[in-house]
Amino acid sequence: MRALIPVVALLTLTACGSGGPPAQQSGPATLRMSIWTANEAHLKLFNEIAAGYTKAKVTFESIPLESYTTTLTTQMAGGKAPDLAWILEGSAPDFVTSGALAPLKSRIENAGELVPAATKLWEKDGELYAYPFSTSPFGVFVNTDLLREAGQKLPAKGWTWEEAMAGAAAVAKKGKAGLVVGDWDYKNWTNLASLWGGWGAKAWSDDGTTCGFNQPAMVEAMTFLHKSIFTDKALPGPGTTVDFFAGDAAMVITQISRASLLKDAKFGWRLLPLPSGPVGDYSVIGQAGIGVVKKSPQADLAADFLGYFTNSANSAKLAQFFPPARSSLLNVETLAKSNPLVEPDQLQSVVIDGIAKGVVKPNHKGQEELIQTARAALDPMWQAGADVKTVLDGVCTKIQPLLGS
């Protein structure tokens, strides 16, 4: 197996290398922005916004999510970097501290109105190195028809994890799937933060130096999850793919950007905040930032485009899929215009309230290696009869040497 080169090493190489002189180009200026989404609705909106920018032609390069960060950093180290890049929250510490990104604060319209909780991950020494264009809390889409058919009370704001799993298990007994953790698939464990946050559990300490997988809160949360999967059958088991948006599951944990998939839904649904856990109400946020690659020969033009792409008017358009970090846009009236499928009270409770109190998904320097190492160590968990505490102790044994390094 090829040795894993830490992302931070590639980024340091990118930041320090000369890159050579920029190639001469004829004709109108062009900019390339790397993104992970290939969603047609997202691309259509991006291209519509970019069409209004008169200083350059902008193209969007979609890279599959599962290889996104590795591909991006390899391009950067190999002299084939894009001018702008969509950066996932897990890789933010590497990108922000490496020197690979250009400073942006002076290029962002009304930067002072950006919500501090949204910019924290993308700042260093008072400077902003990526614009947090998507600050999206996780919520739960619920198929109300399936719950009614299973004789279950419809959930409402203030529901608990016990209630959620009971409803999911009841639906599963009727032949459909219960609860799906979106984009987890027993691989991307960081999305489980949307559940374990209810127990106050953390993958590692706030300073990033101590493993949290074997702490009591995490053991309790993962024991609850394991029982829900293998005893109660409330979640589809490993190797099972279920599409909530096709009407095949009672619930899915995901973000508001997926609401567009319900445009032609043949079933009733509602969007709710994450259920409360032993520590009470909480919110978990997935973030993405857009940065300008510092070594790009067109970095100044790229920063100018980013200022345009994220100005107040365009941020309002992007809010259809990507909740904005601008305080002036974080209100029900603005979000309702771009999210007509979601009820105003749901926008308030899931998105606006969620951003105000949310904690960003796990992120750390050297995140790619951490993710792969923890994923392998968690694999023994996903079978009936697993000793949860022993598995979690094993996770800490594997990742502790990577923390704080």
Side-chain angles (χ1 to χ4, degrees):
M1 179 180 292
R2 182 176 62 88
L4 181 66
I5 302 175
V7 168
V8 69
L10 290 175
L11 289 173
T12 301
L13 174 64
T14 301
C16 297
S18 65
Q24 296 295 318
Q25 76 173 29
S26 58
T30 60
L31 294 172
R32 178 166 60 96
M33 177 170 149
S34 291
I35 58 178
W36 70 259
T37 182
N39 181 289
E40 291 184 5
H42 296 172
L43 293 173
K44 181 174 183 291
L45 177 59
F46 290 173
N47 283 311
E48 286 175 352
I49 293 175
Y53 186 69
T54 59
K55 299 180 183 179
K57 176 180 174 56
V58 183
T59 60
F60 299 95
E61 176 189 42
S62 296
I63 301 173
L65 178 60
E66 58 269 18
S67 60
Y68 181 80
T69 300
T70 300
T71 300
L72 174 61
T73 52
T74 300
Q75 287 180 349
M76 293 172 71
K80 298 179 180 179
D83 302 292
L84 304 98
W86 181 331
I87 300 166
L88 305 177
E89 73 278 293
S91 303
D94 285 336
F95 277 91
V96 170
T97 61
S98 67
L101 301 177
L104 294 174
K105 183 172 286 187
S106 65
R107 313 302 293 269
I108 301 301
E109 179 185 276
N110 298 328
E113 74 160 339
L114 299 181
V115 178
T119 59
K120 181 179 179 181
L121 191 60
W122 310 98
E123 292 177 321
K124 178 185 176 184
D125 299 329
E127 181 56 79
L128 185 69
Y129 287 93
Y131 180 90
F133 88 109
S134 179
T135 300
S136 189
F138 286 85
V140 183
F141 286 95
V142 177
N143 183 322
T144 54
D145 288 356
L146 287 182
L147 285 174
R148 285 194 181 98
E149 291 168 8
Q152 297 297 296
K153 178 182 176 181
L154 297 185
K157 180 182 177 181
W159 62 329
T160 66
W161 271 113
E162 287 76 11
E163 292 170 337
M165 290 303 187
V171 170
K173 288 179 180 178
K174 292 288 187 178
K176 292 285 189 176
L179 172 74
V180 176
V181 181
D183 300 316
W184 169 38
D185 194 28
Y186 292 86
K187 297 174 184 177
N188 183 13
W189 58 264
T190 62
N191 278 4
L192 292 178
S194 59
L195 182 145
W196 75 48
W199 281 256
K202 299 178 180 179
W204 38 73
S205 57
D206 290 339
D207 64 3
T209 62
T210 305
C211 178
F213 276 97
N214 61 357
Q215 296 302 302
M218 183 68 83
V219 173
E220 185 179 349
M222 292 296 240
T223 299
F224 175 84
L225 175 62
H226 189 273
K227 177 179 179 293
S228 298
I229 298 168
F230 296 103
T231 301
D232 303 332
K233 311 296 184 184
L235 288 82
T240 304
T241 300
V242 178
D243 185 358
F244 169 87
F245 299 96
D248 296 332
M251 308 168 195
V252 64
I253 302 173
T254 190
Q255 294 158 300
I256 193 175
S257 61
R258 304 298 176 87
S260 60
L261 298 174
L262 292 165
K263 181 179 179 181
D264 299 315
K266 301 296 191 296
F267 55 87
W269 62 273
R270 64 178 55 167
L271 174 62
L272 293 174
L274 295 171
S276 62
V279 299
D281 294 337
Y282 68 104
S283 176
V284 175
I285 294 172
Q287 267 201 318
I290 300 177
V292 170
V293 178
K294 190 174 182 179
K295 280 182 59 180
S296 165
Q298 302 185 109
D300 186 68
L301 181 63
D304 185 74
F305 170 73
L306 182 55
Y308 165 82
F309 190 73
T310 61
N311 65 27
S312 295
N314 287 326
S315 289
K317 297 175 184 177
L318 290 166
Q320 177 181 355
F321 305 110
F322 311 106
R326 295 184 176 278
S327 57
S328 63
L329 299 177
L330 282 176
N331 56 74
V332 170
E333 182 180 5
T334 298
L335 292 178
K337 290 178 181 177
S338 54
N339 294 276
L341 296 176
V342 183
E343 296 293 332
D345 65 315
Q346 297 170 6
L347 291 170
Q348 179 68 50
S349 63
V350 176
V351 181
I352 298 173
D353 294 347
I355 290 174
K357 64 184 179 184
V359 175
V360 179
K361 284 173 54 183
N363 56 85
H364 198 286
K365 291 182 180 179
Q367 177 89 343
E368 289 297 299
E369 187 173 6
L370 271 169
I371 285 178
Q372 293 189 33
T373 303
R375 172 185 166 183
L378 281 168
D379 278 347
M381 176 88 73
W382 314 129
Q383 54 187 320
D387 186 321
V388 173
K389 179 62 165 62
T390 298
V391 173
L392 294 177
D393 283 340
V395 174
C396 282
T397 298
K398 292 294 186 179
I399 73 169
Q400 185 58 54
L402 302 176
L403 299 175
S405 60

